[in-house]
């Protein structure tokens, strides 16, 4: 008996399920199928199509939400900064008021021995988008490994954020679980301690 064929790519599965469920009733006699059996297989296909389409829809909504968040933060933060600057010129403004409102920055001494990068990973347009902040360093060295393994592989040195990383999957259409970490870099030398590990599943 020939091995049954199923597409490996998620994007191809919707077309495959749609074709199968629409044409299966045409071969009811040849395949000795009852109407109940046909209805059952059609329901399987429809459930899987709906599940795939739901992910696609949610990804679109998430992307839109991220874009909206960026726009709102950029616009409103700019306006709020102007208002806060005005508050600080008020006749009865004091340092204590500023500290209570959280609008007075604290002076933090940079220590290269304890510096720890902050790194995040998110799916974005078919790639993994890595974000980080320098906070006193020239850049970061970024490392990756498969979750459950021990060896870290250097990806690249980053000096600007964000960075889009697109790994090659071992099996096309089969998601893989990645972990990332980073070290701060000053004058080509790694300093401080490793960032917290951030992880993501890529290829769904």
């Amino acid at each position: 008996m020939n091995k049954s064929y199923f597409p490996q790519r998620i994007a191809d599965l919707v077309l495959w399920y749609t074709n199968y469920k629409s044409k299966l009733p045409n071969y009811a006699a040849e395949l000795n199928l009852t109407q109940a059996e046909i209805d059952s297989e059609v329901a399987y296909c429809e459930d899987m199509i709906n599940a795939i389409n739901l992910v696609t829809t949610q990804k679109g909504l998430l992307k839109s939400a991220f874009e909206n968040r960026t726009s709102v933060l950029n616009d409103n933060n700019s306006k709020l900064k102007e208002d806060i600057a005005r508050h600080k010129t008020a006749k009865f403004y004091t340092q204590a008021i500023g500290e209570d409102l959280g609008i007075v920055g604290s002076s933090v001494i940079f220590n290269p021995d304890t510096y720890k990068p902050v790194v995040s990973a998110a799916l974005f347009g078919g790639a993994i988008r890595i974000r980080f902040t320098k906070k006193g360093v020239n850049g970061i060295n970024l490392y990756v490994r498969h979750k459950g393994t021990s060896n870290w592989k250097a990806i690249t040195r980053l000096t600007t954020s964000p960075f889009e990383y697109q790994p090659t999957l071992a099996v096309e259409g089969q998601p893989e679980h990645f972990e990332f970490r980073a070290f701060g870099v000053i004058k080509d030398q790694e300093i401080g301690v490793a960032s917290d590990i951030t992880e993501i599943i890529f290829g769904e």
Side-chain angles (χ1 to χ4, degrees):
M1 181 180 293
N2 292 332
K3 182 179 179 180
S4 297
Y5 168 76
F6 285 88
Q8 293 297 311
R9 295 178 66 248
I10 294 293
D12 295 334
L13 280 172
V14 171
L15 293 176
W16 191 93
Y17 292 140
T18 300
N19 177 76
Y20 183 85
K21 76 184 185 71
S22 64
K23 294 182 179 178
L24 181 63
N26 298 337
Y27 301 103
E30 290 85 347
L31 301 178
N32 195 29
L33 297 174
T34 66
Q35 187 60 48
E37 290 172 330
I38 293 174
D39 292 344
S40 178
E41 292 191 42
V42 168
Y44 297 155
C45 293
E46 291 178 345
D47 285 347
M48 290 184 283
I49 291 170
N50 291 336
I52 293 171
N53 288 340
L54 179 61
V55 171
T56 301
T57 299
Q58 293 299 323
K59 282 183 177 179
L61 292 173
L62 181 60
K63 181 176 181 294
S64 178
F66 274 121
E67 292 173 348
N68 180 67
R69 182 187 69 178
T70 299
S71 176
V72 170
L73 289 180
N74 288 341
D75 292 344
N76 290 355
N77 270 339
S78 178
K79 297 172 184 175
L80 192 58
K81 286 178 182 178
E82 293 178 2
D83 290 337
I84 290 173
R86 177 168 49 82
H87 299 333
K88 289 182 177 180
T89 65
K91 181 178 180 179
F92 297 106
Y93 171 82
T94 64
Q95 180 77 6
I97 292 175
E99 290 177 354
D100 196 37
L101 291 174
I103 59 176
V104 178
S106 60
S107 178
V108 179
I109 299 175
F110 178 81
N111 185 342
D113 294 327
T114 59
Y115 175 81
K116 182 178 181 179
V118 177
V119 179
S120 65
L123 297 176
F124 184 84
I128 300 173
R129 174 164 283 187
I130 305 295
R131 292 186 179 276
F132 66 96
T133 54
K134 291 183 181 179
K135 293 185 178 180
V137 297
N138 301 134
I140 63 169
N141 282 344
L142 182 65
Y143 297 83
V144 66
R145 71 182 180 186
H146 285 90
K147 186 174 179 63
T149 62
S150 58
N151 294 327
W152 290 97
K153 175 185 175 182
I155 297 177
T156 188
R157 177 170 301 170
L158 306 178
T159 56
T160 58
S161 178
F163 166 72
E164 292 188 3
Y165 175 60
Q166 190 161 23
T168 301
L169 298 176
V171 178
E172 185 178 358
Q174 181 173 314
E176 297 179 20
H177 198 156
F178 293 98
E179 294 182 323
F180 297 89
R181 76 173 184 181
F183 284 89
V185 176
I186 295 180
K187 295 182 179 180
D188 295 331
Q189 296 295 319
E190 286 190 355
I191 56 98
V193 297
S195 68
D196 290 336
I197 294 173
T198 182
E199 56 187 82
I200 196 166
I201 296 175
F202 176 77
E204 290 185 314

